[in-house]
Amino acid sequence: PSNVEELNEKAIASNSGILDFDLDAVMSSCSVRIPEDVMTIDSVNSHVEGVKYLLNQIYTKASDPSAALNGMPCAFVGLPATEAALDISTVAAGLDIPVVTSGSLDTTLSGKASPLTTRTTTNYHALGEAVVNWLRYQGRTDYIYTVYTSGDYGLQLKFVMNNALREQSAFDPETGMERSIEDGGMNTREVTISGTFEGFEPNSGLGYAMQQIKSSGWRTVVFSMDSDRRKSAIPLIADYAAQFDLLREDMVWVFSDSIDPDFLVTVAETNKNISKLVDGAAIVKVVDNFEYVLEKMKANNNELEDDPLDGGSRFLSSWQQQDETLVNYTNSLWPQTVGPNSDDYAQGDANYFQNYMPTSGAGFLYDAVWAVGLGACHLQKLNNDKSAGGGGGG
């Protein structure tokens, strides 16, 4: 685990979506082959049930002679969803197996709480700082109203946002004096919403939150909501904002990482209030480096300019060079056995990597897989060096 963590710190360029290792050199001196298997994680009602479900899967596979992994796994890779990552990190800590998550921003997935878990993306602390930095960039540094949902995501981002905002607050903790807006201080208010979101119950309904924002007269609103609530919350936010005349040009609405831009665009087409809400709104989220390259490609007739110094460009170039060999292998891992309306994964055609671009998070997952492989190669080299030096196999 310490080797994987060390590799993660040294090898993963921050948010780059690509490793900065000379992979050809590493692979030429490494003979490690790690058999792989896939494990699905169903939705469960609690963390305890999730841990029990995972343990049952792991031990069932480990005792099955026909399974791809006949024995205990050496690592868990992937797990972009926070709930799944928390479940597997608990299991991994008990089984002494490292975890590399490719997407969860949860702040508890590190340190003493999850000693065998590392990540190839950032965490909520960096996200909270990014929100505040964006507000400063836009000149919205005076009166900030934040609205949080009461789930794990909302409460964690509330914590890190408060830390980031406190550094810019109107109260100077060093002098104990109030700072004026002109001196860079930020006035902040917040409301945490729980329950059904509907109505005007204090600290329960979004109507109540909009009522508070209206009465405050403040024009910058930051929302942090758990992803499972966004579909129901966005229409309510827009409709209540319209009710209180908050869909004005002088209002700035900021949404955090759990809101997908494509989702907002889609729902905006069906609701005029949502369309007004998102017109000029901001979403502060973690993105792969290659996503910037995709934006450049749109302005270049979808032609990729391969830049060997750009991690995102290298990743996309490698993606497009893959052929049906990898497609067939991936299809074999996820066989399509049911009809098109099933939950099974779709089968890729021979030109899949030429016809489709990777989705958001693919680069971080790529990094996670390589981090485990490089960790194994590093251990192999250490053992070989010990053997050559008479230190034993280790």
Side-chain angles (χ1 to χ4, degrees):
S2 60
N3 291 316
V4 172
E5 190 169 322
E6 179 183 356
L7 283 164
N8 185 45
E9 293 175 356
K10 293 182 178 179
I12 308 295
S14 178
N15 297 335
S16 68
I18 198 74
L19 286 165
D20 275 352
F21 263 97
D22 183 349
L23 298 179
D24 290 335
V26 173
M27 294 175 66
S28 66
S29 61
C30 179
S31 60
V32 171
R33 283 286 181 270
I34 304 177
E36 61 199 287
D37 197 0
V38 293
M39 184 169 63
T40 59
I41 300 180
D42 289 344
S43 298
V44 292
N45 295 324
S46 69
H47 178 58
V48 173
E49 288 186 21
V51 170
K52 289 180 178 178
Y53 176 82
L54 288 168
L55 283 172
N56 180 64
Q57 280 204 80
I58 291 168
Y59 281 107
T60 298
K61 287 178 177 289
S63 60
D64 182 2
S66 64
L69 293 178
N70 185 13
M72 296 299 288
C74 64
F76 298 107
V77 184
L79 306 151
T82 292
E83 292 80 4
L86 289 171
D87 291 346
I88 203 69
S89 68
T90 300
V91 172
L95 298 178
D96 199 26
I97 299 173
V99 177
V100 184
T101 172
S102 62
S104 175
L105 309 185
D106 197 290
T107 56
T108 62
L109 289 171
S110 59
K112 294 181 179 179
S114 301
L116 302 187
T117 302
T118 188
R119 73 182 96 229
T120 57
T121 183
T122 186
N123 60 26
Y124 288 134
H125 289 291
L127 187 67
E129 292 175 2
V131 172
V132 174
N133 288 337
W134 185 86
L135 291 172
R136 291 179 61 83
Y137 177 76
Q138 295 295 325
R140 293 283 177 151
T141 57
D142 45 12
Y143 299 94
I144 314 299
Y145 214 115
T146 51
V147 182
Y148 305 96
T149 58
S150 59
D152 288 341
Y153 177 91
L155 294 179
Q156 283 201 48
L157 196 57
K158 173 182 177 178
F159 172 75
V160 299
M161 277 286 294
N162 283 346
N163 284 343
L165 287 168
R166 191 177 295 117
E167 296 176 1
Q168 309 295 334
S169 67
F171 176 78
D172 190 332
E174 294 185 1
T175 65
M177 303 293 291
E178 292 287 329
R179 288 190 300 190
S180 67
I181 298 301
E182 291 75 16
D183 292 332
M186 280 186 177
N187 285 312
T188 62
R189 291 183 184 176
E190 68 180 56
V191 59
T192 301
I193 302 299
S194 60
T196 63
F197 286 4
E198 297 182 3
F200 295 86
E201 288 296 321
N203 300 314
S204 177
L206 283 168
Y208 168 81
M210 292 298 156
Q211 200 172 44
Q212 298 301 303
I213 294 168
K214 174 68 175 180
S215 62
S216 73
W218 295 9
R219 299 174 295 110
T220 305
V221 185
V222 178
F223 272 95
S224 169
M225 64 188 69
D226 295 83
S227 58
D228 61 339
R229 293 296 190 93
R230 65 188 181 193
K231 291 184 178 180
S232 59
I234 292 296
L236 288 173
I237 293 172
D239 291 343
Y240 284 129
Q243 181 177 336
F244 289 103
D245 190 30
L246 294 173
L247 297 178
R248 308 187 308 266
E249 290 185 359
D250 61 334
M251 296 292 296
V252 170
W253 305 88
V254 183
F255 296 93
S256 57
D257 188 73
S258 66
I259 298 297
D260 180 59
D262 292 335
F263 168 76
L264 278 185
V265 171
T266 301
V267 295
E269 295 174 351
T270 63
N271 184 310
K272 65 179 182 179
N273 288 335
I274 297 178
S275 180
K276 292 180 180 179
L277 177 74
V278 302
D279 185 16
I283 299 177
V284 181
K285 63 175 299 177
V286 179
V287 297
D288 275 314
N289 189 287
F290 75 81
E291 294 182 79
Y292 292 108
V293 180
L294 288 177
E295 290 300 316
K296 294 179 183 178
M297 289 174 61
K298 291 178 181 178
N300 192 35
N301 296 320
N302 288 327
E303 291 293 328
L304 173 63
E305 295 181 1
D306 192 7
D307 182 354
L309 299 180
D310 186 288
S313 175
R314 295 203 310 271
F315 178 76
L316 286 177
S317 177
S318 175
W319 175 279
Q320 293 181 338
Q321 291 172 20
Q322 302 305 312
D323 58 22
E324 60 182 331
T325 303
L326 182 56
V327 173
N328 293 336
Y329 177 70
T330 305
N331 286 344
S332 70
L333 291 177
W334 296 102
Q336 181 82 27
T337 57
V338 194
N341 296 324
S342 74
D343 292 332
D344 286 2
Y345 284 71
Q347 296 282 278
D349 56 31
N351 298 317
Y352 178 87
F353 290 98
Q354 290 72 47
N355 295 334
Y356 298 94
M357 289 292 106
T359 57
S360 181
F364 296 125
L365 179 57
Y366 180 85
D367 288 350
V369 174
W370 270 109
V372 171
L374 289 168
C377 289
H378 183 63
L379 288 175
Q380 184 188 58
K381 184 177 185 302
L382 287 177
N383 285 336
N384 290 340
D385 290 346
K386 287 180 180 180
S387 298

